[in-house]
């Protein structure tokens, strides 16, 4: 990269940007940093006439958008720009590559029912797979089976997910060095662990051996780049602890997975970790805590835009979500969550706030710390700069706590006894946020 800049070799930029950002950078640096370089590599490639590598950059740009947890609607819109262009330019490999990923994205968005029929195009799975086998396009075969693995896992078809993971494993040589190797490791382990309790003792030993082999690699990758891989390692570790009956270790690992995924911005893994934690607590018979995690998962999938997963949770737990939302639908697009005014999303905002607050209540036992944490959650979810917590004491309203966001600094003051008379007070407490 330094040589490239030194000699201003613009005609080589699209090749170097592609190789470095698709196969090298993510092992040591946040994958988010690859996005702008892959996009720039694509643009430069078209400018200098290197159409092949321009399309390679574009294909990996869309794949990495998916992996970093960008809203699915945004990913789908970006993909749509290049589908027809790649076909017109007769870039067959990249064209099939991106259609495979579009199928995954559009299915999670709820726009496809596991079909390969896309706007303005038809993607025949049997014909495509036969063609890829014939030309020995191992990388595209791996991606095709990997996307099937992910869809099968998210739809809870774990046995089929394992089949696709094993098929993809036959073509790993075609994707060596790319981030999809890690993603395959991650979902393969989760699918195996989900099957653990339903198989024989001999099969259980095989599963544990396979997963522990995967974890050894994942631990090494996470030690080299915590930002990209630590949350994955922690979630798999939580699932290992779950099946082995190590309850306390499982609880701690689920929390670490959720926290690290949230800190690094991986919405989809945060939602998945919350969903798995909910299942864990349901099995323990602790429905109150399970519902807390389930609500976080539901909200996470909404933010990601995975309407198929939102609908899945609502169909499996209809009474919970009907009670919390008053029977109103919550399957909104991630784009609306990201771009709409807060007023248009108060119902979703309130649902997320309630679950976060209840989670805080279950953890905090010191009153002042509890109040501080509660206010921080409210401020965070409302996107506000100032918040007050007011309680009624007789005929007086008392400001018990105040949170002010000043630039990057949070100031928490409590209690503030700013009293004023109000003979018509009817509420025990009130939140005001602006």
């Amino acid at each position: 990269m330094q040589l490239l800049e030194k000699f201003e070799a613009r005609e080589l930029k699209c090749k170097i940007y592609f190789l470095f950002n698709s196969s090298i950078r993510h092992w040591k640096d946040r994958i988010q940093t690859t996005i702008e370089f892959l996009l720039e590599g694509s643009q430069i490639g078209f400018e200098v006439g290197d159409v092949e590598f321009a399309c390679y950059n574009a294909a990996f740009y869309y794949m990495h958008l998916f992996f970093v947890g960008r809203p699915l609607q945004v990913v789908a819109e970006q993909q749509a720009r290049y589908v027809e262009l790649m076909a017109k330019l007769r870039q067959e490999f990249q064209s099939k590559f991106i259609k495979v990923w579009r199928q995954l994205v559009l299915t999670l968005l709820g726009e496809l029912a596991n079909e390969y029929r896309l706007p303005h195009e038809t993607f025949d799975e049997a014909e495509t797979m036969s063609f890829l086998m014939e030309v020995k396009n191992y990388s595209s075969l791996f991606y095709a089976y990997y996307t099937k693995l992910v869809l099968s896992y998210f739809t809870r078809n774990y046995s089929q997910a394992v089949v696709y993971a094993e098929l993809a494993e036959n073509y790993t040589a075609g994707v060596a060095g790319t981030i999809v190797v890690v993603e395959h490791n991650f979902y393969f382990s989760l699918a195996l662990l989900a099957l653990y309790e339903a198989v024989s003792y001999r099969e259980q030993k095989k599963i544990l051996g396979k997963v522990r082999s995967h974890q050894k690699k994942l631990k090494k990758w996470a030690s080299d780049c915590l930002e990209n891989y630590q949350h994955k390692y922690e979630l798999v570790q939580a699932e290992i602890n779950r099946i082995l009956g190590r309850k306390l270790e499982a609880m701690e690992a689920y929390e670490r997975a959720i926290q690290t995924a949230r800190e690094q911005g991986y919405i989809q893994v945060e939602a998945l970790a919350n969903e798995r934690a909910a299942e864990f607590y349901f099995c323990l018979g602790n429905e109150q805590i399970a519902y807390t995690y389930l609500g976080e998962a539901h909200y996470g999938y909404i933010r990601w835009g995975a309407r198929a997963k939102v609908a899945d949770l609502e169909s499996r737990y209809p009474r919970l979500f009907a009670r919390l939302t008053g029977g109103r639908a919550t399957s909104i697009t991630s784009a609306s969550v990201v771009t709409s005014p807060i007023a248009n999303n108060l119902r979703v905002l309130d649902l997320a706030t309630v679950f976060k607050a209840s989670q805080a209540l279950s953890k905090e036992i010191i009153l002042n710390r509890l109040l501080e944490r509660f206010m921080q959650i409210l401020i965070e979810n409302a996107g506000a700069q100032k918040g007050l917590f007011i309680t009624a004491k007789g005929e007086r309203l008392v400001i018990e706590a105040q949170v002010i966001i000043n630039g990057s600094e949070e100031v928490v003051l409590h209690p503030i006894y700013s009293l004023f008379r109000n003979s018509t007070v009817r509420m025990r407490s009130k939140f005001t946020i602006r």
Side-chain angles (χ1 to χ4, degrees):
M1 291 288 285
Q2 290 173 348
L3 284 170
L4 185 67
E5 296 305 318
K6 180 179 179 179
F7 293 103
E8 299 180 356
R10 185 174 176 79
E11 70 280 2
L12 294 178
K13 263 193 174 182
C14 60
K15 287 183 172 68
I16 302 301
Y17 277 15
F18 169 70
L19 292 170
F20 182 63
N21 290 284
S22 68
S23 306
I24 298 172
R25 188 173 215 143
H26 67 91
W27 297 112
K28 290 289 186 178
D29 199 1
R30 287 170 56 87
I31 189 176
Q32 287 86 344
T33 61
T34 68
I35 301 296
E36 61 178 298
F37 285 97
L38 289 168
L39 182 59
E40 185 182 349
S42 176
Q43 294 169 341
I44 292 173
F46 284 120
E47 289 173 10
V48 301
D50 193 341
V51 174
E52 181 184 8
F53 273 85
C55 290
Y56 281 137
N57 275 280
F60 272 74
Y61 166 71
Y62 302 128
M63 184 171 73
H64 285 201
L65 281 180
F66 176 83
F67 286 143
V68 299
R70 293 287 173 85
L72 291 172
Q73 190 65 48
V74 173
V75 179
E77 290 169 359
Q78 290 291 313
Q79 287 175 337
R81 296 172 55 193
Y82 274 84
V83 169
E84 291 186 15
L85 176 61
M86 288 182 180
K88 289 178 180 177
L89 294 172
R90 299 190 178 184
Q91 297 298 308
E92 196 164 299
F93 164 76
Q94 298 93 325
S95 180
K96 294 187 184 304
F97 174 97
I98 202 168
K99 286 181 182 180
V100 166
W101 285 95
R102 268 180 69 72
Q103 191 271 345
L104 171 61
V105 171
L106 293 178
T107 302
L108 288 170
L109 274 168
E111 296 182 14
L112 297 176
N114 289 313
E115 296 177 0
Y116 280 91
R117 299 189 179 278
L118 310 178
H120 313 299
E121 61 195 273
T122 300
F123 186 74
D124 188 278
E125 180 183 358
E127 179 185 334
T128 299
M129 296 300 283
S130 176
F131 170 79
L132 294 175
M133 293 278 192
E134 182 181 339
V135 300
K136 298 182 179 180
N137 188 333
Y138 293 158
S139 55
S140 290
L141 285 167
F142 184 96
Y143 293 127
Y145 286 126
Y146 166 79
T147 56
K148 287 172 169 291
L149 156 64
V150 174
L151 285 176
S152 297
Y153 182 79
F154 273 115
T155 56
R156 302 169 63 81
N157 190 347
Y158 303 125
S159 58
Q160 193 62 60
V162 170
V163 170
Y164 288 135
E166 291 172 342
L167 287 168
E169 207 168 28
N170 296 324
Y171 305 103
T172 305
V175 294
T178 66
I179 195 171
V180 77
V181 172
V182 185
E183 297 287 337
H184 173 265
N185 172 301
F186 174 59
Y187 283 106
F188 196 175
S189 291
L190 290 178
L192 286 169
L193 293 169
L195 285 178
Y196 183 84
E197 294 171 336
V199 300
S200 67
Y201 176 73
R202 178 178 294 181
E203 288 299 311
Q204 287 179 343
K205 289 186 69 175
K206 289 182 180 178
I207 285 174
L208 274 177
K210 183 78 170 177
V211 171
R212 281 170 173 156
S213 175
H214 284 177
Q215 279 295 84
K216 186 177 180 180
K217 295 177 182 177
L218 194 49
K219 186 176 183 178
K220 173 63 170 64
W221 297 332
S223 69
D224 289 338
C225 189
L226 179 148
E227 295 90 345
N228 290 340
Y229 305 124
Q230 186 66 30
H231 57 285
K232 293 180 173 64
Y233 173 80
E234 296 291 0
L235 181 52
V236 175
Q237 200 60 42
E239 290 284 270
I240 292 173
N241 291 330
R242 174 185 62 80
I243 65 168
L244 295 180
R246 300 195 292 241
K247 297 176 184 178
L248 182 58
E249 291 89 340
M251 292 175 188
E252 292 173 348
Y254 282 123
E255 276 300 307
R256 288 196 302 269
I258 292 166
Q259 184 63 29
T260 52
R262 180 184 300 129
E263 288 172 355
Q264 302 304 328
Y266 293 95
I267 299 173
Q268 74 281 32
V269 181
E270 181 187 349
L272 178 58
N274 273 296
E275 182 183 1
R276 297 310 306 162
E279 296 285 347
F280 168 71
Y281 282 104
F282 276 128
C283 290
L284 293 183
N286 196 329
E287 289 193 355
Q288 185 175 4
I289 295 178
Y291 283 145
T292 299
Y293 283 102
L294 193 63
E296 288 281 352
H298 183 259
Y299 180 57
Y301 287 129
I302 289 175
R303 290 168 57 215
W304 190 32
R307 291 191 291 267
K309 277 302 298 180
V310 173
D312 170 58
L313 291 182
E314 291 177 353
S315 67
R316 286 193 285 124
Y317 304 97
R319 287 185 297 175
L320 170 67
F321 292 110
R323 184 171 73 249
L324 290 171
T325 64
R328 293 169 291 185
T330 57
S331 302
I332 61 176
T333 67
S334 64
S336 66
V337 174
V338 173
T339 62
S340 296
I342 290 175
N344 292 338
N345 295 287
L346 284 179
R347 175 171 43 76
V348 178
L349 170 66
D350 290 345
L351 180 61
T353 303
V354 166
F355 277 117
K356 278 193 173 184
S358 62
Q359 198 169 19
L361 285 166
S362 69
K363 293 177 182 177
E364 304 289 356
I365 59 173
I366 301 173
L367 184 58
N368 282 352
R369 175 59 185 151
L370 172 61
L371 189 54
E372 178 183 327
R373 177 74 178 123
F374 199 77
M375 290 298 294
Q376 287 172 338
I377 290 168
L378 289 168
I379 290 288
E380 173 193 336
N381 280 274
Q385 292 181 314
K386 182 178 180 180
L388 302 174
F389 177 64
I390 304 171
T391 60
K393 294 190 176 181
E395 295 183 353
R396 296 177 182 273
L397 293 179
V398 181
I399 300 175
E400 297 280 4
Q402 175 178 265
V403 178
I404 301 172
I405 307 298
N406 183 13
S408 60
E409 182 180 357
E410 253 182 34
V411 180
V412 181
L413 307 172
H414 56 76
I416 303 171
Y417 294 105
S418 176
L419 309 179
F420 52 92
R421 297 186 65 81
N422 187 338
S423 60
T424 60
V425 172
R426 296 179 182 275
M427 296 188 298
R428 293 295 303 165
S429 63
K430 179 181 179 181
F431 302 102
T432 177
I433 299 173
R434 69 170 183 260

